[in-house]
Amino acid sequence: GTLSSSGASSTVFAVVVAQTAKTSVAAAGSSLRTAHAVGRNEALLPLVRNKGRLAQLTLGPSVMLLLVAMECLKNRLTSSNTNQVYEDTWNFVSKAESRDKFGRLVQCACRCLQGYLAVVPTSSLMVWKPAICEIQSRLAWARRTTRWGKAMPHLAKLVKSLEAGDYVEALTSAILIIFLIQDHIYWLLKVKALKFHSYTPWQWHRRNLRLITINYVLSFCLSARKIKRIRDYQAQSDDEMVQTENDIWEHKKRMFRLLLTFVQMLHVTQLKEFDDRCIGLMGIASSLLDACKQLAY
């Protein structure tokens, strides 16, 4: 009698479970057909209640169709499927370093705009100030996220400089490596994966920026030294000077960029405060120099 009762109970339980599962599957299917496919805002086919929503929903497809039309028009006019501008643009944006420099350019443009709005609070651009601040902050963290592992190439350069006895070059590489490692620590502090009782994330970051400022000074001196060595070589050699003059020009551009970045660091670390408009313009100029260097590769 006990065994029969137990078997009956098991059968009833199995029937209830099966019925519940069937009901859940039916409800899920209904939800998939309605909530996820048609009707709601996140559905594949949301309801179009006004022209504004229609414009929002067709924005992505419209841009795609416009790009396709431009490509087809180009093919007809040039009788070619190749597009050098498109290929050069893709070669540029496909490199992480290029995207980083372009992001920095936009980030500095946002700083420049904020400086302008601080001086001209009645500007019509004031309604965009929260968005400008958000873009600048988001880009800074996006760029910081992509720096993981960026110190690796400088390790070999550090060892090579030590072996050659070039201790200034070695010190420059060492400071840059330490900066990148401490920048990763700042990222971990910000996301609360680490916690330092002696430092807030911002204090740690500002200290790290002051460290990299030393690197800019040393790098400036190294470029000046290299220019002097090239000049000495030119004085002693009758060889073609075109290449060496190009090298001198590249070092001069690097020194100008380092000077701009040095002034920016003085402002960001609050060692010496300047106008945000000027700092933003300096950042745009130095970012353009870096971006053009990536275009050359």
Side-chain angles (χ1 to χ4, degrees):
T2 304
L3 291 175
S4 299
S5 177
S6 176
S9 299
S10 300
T11 302
V12 171
F13 177 75
V15 170
V16 171
V17 170
Q19 187 65 33
T20 303
K22 184 178 179 180
T23 304
S24 300
V25 169
S30 175
S31 176
L32 182 63
R33 288 192 300 271
T34 56
H36 301 286
V38 180
R40 296 184 179 180
N41 286 346
E42 66 272 20
L44 293 174
L45 297 173
L47 295 178
V48 180
R49 296 187 176 91
N50 51 56
K51 293 181 180 180
R53 174 170 289 190
L54 179 62
Q56 294 166 3
L57 294 173
T58 57
L59 179 60
S62 298
V63 172
M64 184 271 294
L65 291 173
L66 176 62
L67 293 174
V68 171
M70 291 173 61
E71 184 67 16
C72 293
L73 178 62
K74 187 273 302 178
N75 290 345
R76 285 196 173 190
L77 293 176
T78 61
S79 301
S80 173
N81 289 327
T82 60
N83 188 332
Q84 192 60 43
V85 175
Y86 179 88
E87 291 180 1
D88 291 341
T89 303
W90 170 244
N91 289 334
F92 178 79
V93 300
S94 63
K95 293 182 287 189
E97 193 69 18
S98 301
R99 294 194 298 271
D100 177 75
K101 300 312 176 187
F102 182 76
R104 183 175 181 271
L105 189 152
V106 177
Q107 184 182 346
C108 293
C110 290
R111 178 180 288 277
C112 183
L113 285 173
Q114 288 190 69
Y116 168 75
L117 293 175
V119 177
V120 190
T122 57
S123 171
S124 58
L125 293 175
M126 185 59 70
V127 295
W128 294 97
K129 186 175 181 180
I132 293 170
C133 295
E134 185 70 13
I135 291 171
Q136 181 180 351
S137 176
R138 295 284 183 177
L139 280 174
W141 282 106
R143 293 179 58 232
R144 187 166 288 111
T145 303
T146 59
R147 287 182 195 148
W148 285 89
K150 200 172 180 179
M152 294 178 66
H154 301 284
L155 290 170
K157 186 178 179 181
L158 171 59
V159 174
K160 184 178 179 181
S161 300
L162 289 172
E163 291 175 347
D166 192 344
Y167 298 111
V168 178
E169 186 85 46
L171 180 59
T172 303
S173 298
I175 291 175
L176 181 56
I177 293 169
I178 294 171
F179 165 78
L180 290 170
I181 293 172
Q182 293 186 158
D183 191 63
H184 303 334
I185 294 174
Y186 173 49
W187 188 89
L188 293 171
L189 289 170
K190 194 68 176 179
V191 300
K192 299 181 180 180
L194 281 180
K195 184 176 182 180
F196 291 168
H197 295 290
S198 302
Y199 282 96
T200 64
W202 170 241
Q203 289 173 335
W204 180 265
H205 178 53
R206 189 162 57 183
R207 173 183 175 273
N208 200 32
L209 291 178
R210 290 176 179 176
L211 173 67
I212 197 61
T213 304
I214 301 173
N215 177 277
Y216 297 141
V217 176
L218 293 175
S219 297
F220 185 93
C221 296
L222 285 173
S223 289
R225 186 184 70 177
K226 290 176 181 177
I227 290 176
K228 183 179 182 304
R229 288 179 176 177
I230 294 173
R231 292 297 189 196
D232 293 341
Y233 170 78
Q234 288 177 336
Q236 299 172 5
S237 176
D238 295 329
D239 295 339
E240 182 66 40
M241 292 188 178
V242 175
Q243 184 61 45
T244 53
E245 286 296 333
N246 289 338
D247 292 340
I248 290 174
W249 173 241
E250 289 300 322
H251 284 300
K252 285 182 177 180
K253 287 195 297 184
R254 184 168 184 259
M255 292 170 69
F256 178 64
R257 180 183 61 80
L258 289 168
L259 179 61
L260 294 176
T261 312
F262 175 76
V263 176
Q264 287 179 267
M265 287 299 104
L266 291 180
H267 176 75
V268 174
T269 58
Q270 299 179 349
L271 291 173
K272 176 68 176 177
E273 293 191 9
F274 301 96
D275 193 317
D276 265 340
R277 292 172 296 177
C278 296
I279 296 299
L281 289 174
M282 288 181 180
I284 292 172
S286 59
S287 298
L288 282 173
L289 289 173
D290 287 332
C292 291
K293 187 176 180 181
Q294 292 299 318
L295 281 172
Y297 291 125

